[in-house]
Amino acid sequence: MSEAADSRIPVTVLTGYLGAGKTTLLNRILSENHGTRYAVIVNEFGEIGIDNDLLVESDEEVYEMNNGCICCTVRGDLIRTVENLMKRKGAFDAIIVETTGVADPAPVAQTFFMDDDVREAAKLDAVVAVVDARHVQQRLKDTKEAEDQIAFSDVILLNKTDLVSAEELAGVEAAIRKINPYAKIHHTERCQIAISDVLDRGAFELDRILDLDPEFLKKAELAHDHECGPDCDHDHDHHHHGHDHDHGHADHECGPDCDHDHEDTHSVKSYSFTVGDLDPKVFFDWINQITQIQGPNILRMKGILSFKDDPQRYVVQGIHMIVEGNHQRDWRDDEKRESRIVFIGRELDGAALKTAFEACVAE
Amino acid sequence: MPVTAPLDTDGFVVSATFLGDVAAFASGEGSVFFAGGPETQTPVHKNGLLCATPSLDGKSLITGGGDGRICKVHSDGRVEELAEQPRKWIDIIAAGPQDSVAYASGRTAWVRLKSGEIKEFQLPRAFAGLAFAPKGMRLAASRYDGVTLFWVNAAGDPQELSWKGAHSLVTYSPEGKYLVTTMQENALHGWRLADSQDMRMTGYPGKVKSVSWSAKGKYLATSGAQAAILWPFMGKSGPMGQAPLELGVRGDSMVTTVCCHPSEEMVAIGYQDGMVMAVRFHDNAEVLLRRPGAGPVSALAWDKKGNRLAFGTEEGAAGVITLVD
């Protein structure tokens, strides 16, 4: 899975609400002289001013896989377009998929994991969201898609920052962080950004989950703390005692009521937990079960785990029901061995997840 | 081992065909290569050649490309443009009776009649495959959740055949009794057209991307496993309740392309590793026709008499294997 000689074509998925600046970013990528040839799959030719042989228009065709799971959706048109592109393998180095403003990013991402042929030919590099700093708060109130796009992203361009005040910008960033604590956020005007910050991120490579941002899990915890208010802080820091107290707190104050109190319109939340060494069997049973049952509500999941008596770190990531994991490298002597996991999802029961994760701790 | 005349094309071999005595290889890079006569090459499409199929008279190759053009390529290298849909990728094509050609891109399909008249057909979801019925001007279009059967010339509502899931290729049995599709989830689906009886053919470890009817439509050979899987269609209810033949079983490579001999009960099988074998139905006798190498086999075609086999691979290797002089 993580061999060095991965010759698969990298794929970047570009999401973002209508008018956020996706096309500006795309034009920037295509016009910059960087020696990489891109095949670009767009929903509409629209404003793309660059003449490119490998620019293809594709109607979004979301298919349910026939396995009885409603979240196992793929983009049928992408499967075909990738197949067609493979007939011209020598003509390009990378693929960019631009989605419509209202698209759910999950089927796009899942196509690169669920279809064997596509998976063999291409690998998802990162999901990039362009977010309009001025309008995103409103979008988040109005729509589920804007929230999904942020929740799914590995890289977020917080664009049009020149159109908002510093305070507004801070508010917007905080709102984004609540939904997605680990994405890399860049502030941009007219999508001005170094292309290397957007492309070739390796966000889905298990080896690089951490390299992207070693602090991501910490941020996740911070974000969670904010959500649950100051009381929550204390509980989270004390892993060794007061579990009952913890749960009671989560159930009663951070449960459904919490949503109302905070006048929080976001239904997507992130939860992060840290424990010690895990029993791998108990953990895998649980993660398989939880992703089967709660798959539709889990948007993204990432973790770095320490299994008892195992010298290597184990990294894991997921989209809905798809879970991928692998040993990464030996734990270093100067590292604290611990198991951390982040869930980003909708209507997740944080307290129940926490209890269950804690139950995976090795005896 | 039979004699092979090799040929290098410049890209993914999308299709191999015999146009009379000349073998034609359509390359994904946009050209058609000829062998068996003078070895020539004709550029056809600018932005890649995505699909190709022989015309029903076997005299020309119909191609579709990333430049939106639909072309007719003759064995002497002549290229005729039949139609153009600017900025569309034409990746599905079917040759029909009376020199008609059907092609599709996204949610629209077109049929170009011999007269040059073009008829348009729409579906709410994308077209995935096209096939003309062996008799009459009837066009089958596979799609999400089933197949739609259009009347090309007559007015009248199209007939819908429903089966949940994403259908890809579609093919009529040679006598027109059955319609079979390949599916996204490693299975085939079939319908007995007389009564729309469903037939489900499953058990494949991989997606089925190549199908071929044997002489007189007795078997449907398919790729998608470590053997060619041949479903019997000679009984009244097709393959239902019957076990398929498994020919050319290999433990170490998947079958990527199949092509049944035009008259004998024999199938040419191409594998992921580039190997090609011919296997007889009744005793599973195997003849090695090409050793592994140069990518998965992506195209196979017999000449009309079944004496020569043309092959091509994803990495551009091609050639003509002579079995009988």
Side-chain angles (χ1 to χ4, degrees):
Chain A
M1 215 173 285
S2 54
E3 286 103 62
D6 188 343
S7 61
R8 293 178 299 164
I9 302 280
V11 180
T12 304
V13 176
L14 222 54
T15 72
Y17 224 78
L18 209 65
K22 269 180 306 181
T23 308
T24 309
L25 178 62
L26 198 52
N27 276 328
R28 193 171 284 279
I29 292 169
L30 293 178
S31 57
E32 196 160 289
N33 184 17
H34 37 52
T36 307
R37 297 163 304 164
Y38 295 100
V40 184
I41 303 170
V42 298
N43 194 249
E44 257 191 344
F45 287 124
E47 305 285 303
I48 294 164
I50 307 297
D51 196 26
N52 181 333
D53 283 359
L54 286 161
L55 182 62
V56 57
E57 200 179 46
S58 181
D59 288 328
E60 295 186 343
E61 290 273 343
V62 177
Y63 292 164
E64 260 176 50
M65 299 294 276
N66 250 359
N67 59 2
C69 165
I70 55 154
C71 61
C72 284
T73 50
V74 296
R75 283 264 307 267
D77 61 306
L78 268 187
I79 294 176
R80 237 171 70 197
T81 305
V82 171
E83 263 174 30
N84 282 330
L85 284 170
M86 288 306 130
K87 294 171 190 164
R88 298 193 68 194
K89 246 184 220 167
F92 61 96
D93 311 299
I95 299 174
I96 300 174
V97 183
E98 184 199 27
T99 65
T100 58
V102 292
D104 173 3
V108 185
Q110 290 181 159
T111 304
F112 295 92
F113 293 93
M114 296 192 77
D115 185 273
D116 291 342
D117 297 326
V118 171
R119 195 188 170 118
E120 207 172 282
K123 60 169 185 235
L124 190 56
D125 183 66
V127 179
V128 177
V130 184
V131 172
D132 178 342
R134 195 170 180 190
H135 294 116
V136 65
Q137 299 275 35
Q138 191 57 42
R139 292 281 166 270
L140 286 171
K141 279 189 192 124
D142 300 344
T143 67
K144 173 173 166 289
E145 290 83 6
E147 200 175 43
D148 282 348
Q149 289 167 358
I150 290 170
F152 250 95
S153 297
D154 303 289
V155 177
I156 294 172
L157 264 69
L158 189 46
N159 195 33
K160 306 193 182 181
T161 51
D162 49 331
L163 303 181
V164 292
S165 69
E167 298 79 59
E168 282 171 310
L169 189 59
V172 168
E173 180 154 354
I176 291 172
R177 276 284 170 238
K178 267 192 195 176
I179 299 166
N180 186 335
Y182 69 76
K184 192 109 184 164
I185 298 182
H186 299 278
H187 293 191
T188 58
E189 292 171 26
R190 287 171 289 280
C191 290
Q192 270 168 341
I193 187 167
I195 299 304
S196 59
D197 285 334
V198 178
L199 302 174
D200 195 22
R201 304 302 303 156
F204 286 83
E205 278 166 40
L206 291 166
D207 278 354
R208 286 174 65 178
I209 281 182
L210 279 191
D211 302 345
L212 288 177
D213 185 354
E215 297 293 296
F216 90 90
L217 288 163
K218 286 213 177 110
K219 279 190 197 160
E221 289 199 333
L222 283 173
H224 181 59
D225 291 344
H226 284 295
E227 231 167 72
C228 292
D231 294 337
C232 211
D233 271 344
H234 304 296
D235 290 314
H236 275 248
D237 289 337
H238 300 295
H239 295 294
H240 307 294
H241 58 84
H243 280 180
D244 288 340
H245 172 67
D246 228 22
H247 302 155
H249 170 71
D251 282 347
H252 295 118
E253 291 183 27
C254 291
D257 296 338
C258 196
D259 287 343
H260 305 294
D261 292 349
H262 286 227
E263 57 178 309
D264 190 349
T265 50
H266 309 324
S267 59
V268 173
K269 287 191 168 56
S270 66
Y271 299 92
S272 140
F273 313 109
T274 307
V275 297
D277 284 359
L278 299 178
D279 179 331
K281 190 185 172 309
V282 179
F283 172 76
F284 285 120
D285 282 353
W286 170 65
I287 200 77
N288 285 331
Q289 195 197 16
I290 195 87
T291 47
Q292 289 294 310
I293 297 169
Q294 303 224 36
N297 292 334
I298 298 170
L299 300 179
R300 293 285 291 264
M301 179 268 293
K302 291 191 180 197
I304 298 138
L305 310 171
S306 167
F307 292 132
K308 190 176 190 304
D309 300 329
D310 188 334
Q312 293 214 312
R313 315 208 294 186
Y314 193 89
V315 285
V316 64
Q317 66 150 329
I319 303 172
H320 288 317
M321 286 175 84
I322 301 168
V323 181
E324 268 199 340
N326 211 345
H327 281 98
Q328 188 203 22
R329 60 161 173 79
D330 284 351
W331 285 97
R332 283 194 289 264
D333 291 339
D334 60 352
E335 259 172 350
K336 187 178 172 199
R337 282 189 64 135
E338 57 187 9
S339 301
R340 294 169 160 229
I341 198 162
V342 182
F343 291 93
I344 297 182
R346 191 170 266 125
E347 289 165 31
L348 294 177
D349 181 342
L353 285 174
K354 186 170 193 288
T355 312
F357 186 55
E358 283 166 354
C360 300
V361 171
E363 305 265 303
Chain B
M1 206 156 105
V3 182
T4 301
L7 175 82
D8 280 331
T9 74
D10 60 353
F12 189 115
V13 179
V14 172
S15 100
T17 321
F18 277 94
L19 305 176
D21 284 336
V22 176
F25 302 91
S27 154
E29 292 300 322
S31 292
V32 174
F33 292 73
F34 298 96
E39 279 195 14
T40 53
Q41 172 189 349
T42 300
V44 185
H45 294 284
K46 264 196 305 211
N47 298 340
L49 186 158
L50 302 174
C51 55
T53 190
S55 60
L56 291 196
D57 63 9
K59 288 182 182 160
S60 59
L61 185 68
I62 316 293
T63 62
D67 55 2
R69 291 163 69 235
I70 298 89
C71 296
K72 188 173 194 175
V73 182
H74 298 269
S75 60
D76 58 6
R78 235 170 352 112
V79 180
E80 232 179 290
E81 184 180 302
L82 297 181
E84 188 181 5
Q85 293 297 334
R87 303 196 85 174
K88 298 283 184 201
W89 281 25
I90 306 298
D91 60 349
I92 309 171
I93 205 153
Q98 298 151 39
D99 271 346
S100 60
V101 175
Y103 47 96
S105 176
R107 293 166 192 166
T108 311
W110 300 269
V111 175
R112 182 194 184 273
L113 303 173
K114 192 179 181 180
S115 62
E117 185 192 346
I118 291 175
K119 299 192 177 236
E120 192 176 300
F121 301 88
Q122 302 275 354
L123 283 178
R125 306 285 298 250
F127 282 81
L130 291 172
F132 280 97
K135 289 192 194 102
M137 280 296 264
R138 198 121 207 241
L139 183 68
S142 48
R143 52 169 170 80
Y144 191 53
D145 286 346
V147 174
T148 301
L149 305 176
F150 295 101
W151 298 103
V152 175
N153 287 325
D157 289 339
Q159 185 189 343
E160 309 284 354
L161 296 170
S162 297
W163 186 264
K164 202 170 158 24
H167 299 257
S168 311
L169 297 175
V170 58
T171 177
Y172 275 97
S173 62
E175 82 303 328
K177 261 169 74 181
Y178 299 100
L179 193 70
V180 179
T181 61
T182 64
M183 295 194 67
Q184 168 69 26
E185 68 265 13
N186 303 351
L188 300 182
H189 194 79
W191 288 270
R192 187 168 60 196
L193 291 169
D195 57 1
S196 300
Q197 175 73 44
D198 287 298
M199 298 180 285
R200 188 122 180 88
M201 291 157 269
T202 57
Y204 292 91
K207 232 192 273 180
V208 181
K209 289 197 284 189
S210 171
V211 299
S212 171
W213 292 95
S214 75
K216 300 192 183 86
K218 282 187 176 172
Y219 288 93
L220 179 66
T222 60
S223 68
Q226 292 190 329
I229 306 298
L230 283 83
W231 297 94
F233 274 82
M234 48 276 206
K236 264 190 186 156
S237 53
M240 290 304 87
Q242 299 192 64
L245 301 180
E246 295 183 28
L247 303 180
V249 183
R250 287 183 58 194
D252 54 353
S253 192
M254 293 280 278
V255 172
T256 52
T257 310
V258 289
C259 184
C260 289
H261 192 276
S263 53
E264 285 170 44
E265 301 224 306
M266 182 165 79
V267 60
I269 305 174
Y271 296 86
Q272 181 82 31
D273 63 2
M275 188 194 269
V276 179
M277 283 208 286
V279 184
R280 206 155 53 191
F281 295 1
H282 77 270
D283 60 358
N284 217 333
E286 299 174 352
V287 181
L288 178 65
L289 299 181
R290 181 178 189 266
R291 293 186 201 287
V297 176
S298 53
L300 288 172
W302 292 98
D303 69 3
K304 208 173 168 187
K305 289 182 185 145
N307 294 341
R308 292 182 300 160
L309 180 73
F311 70 90
T313 75
E314 289 187 12
E315 289 174 15
V320 176
I321 303 167
T322 303
L323 285 89
V324 182
D325 258 329

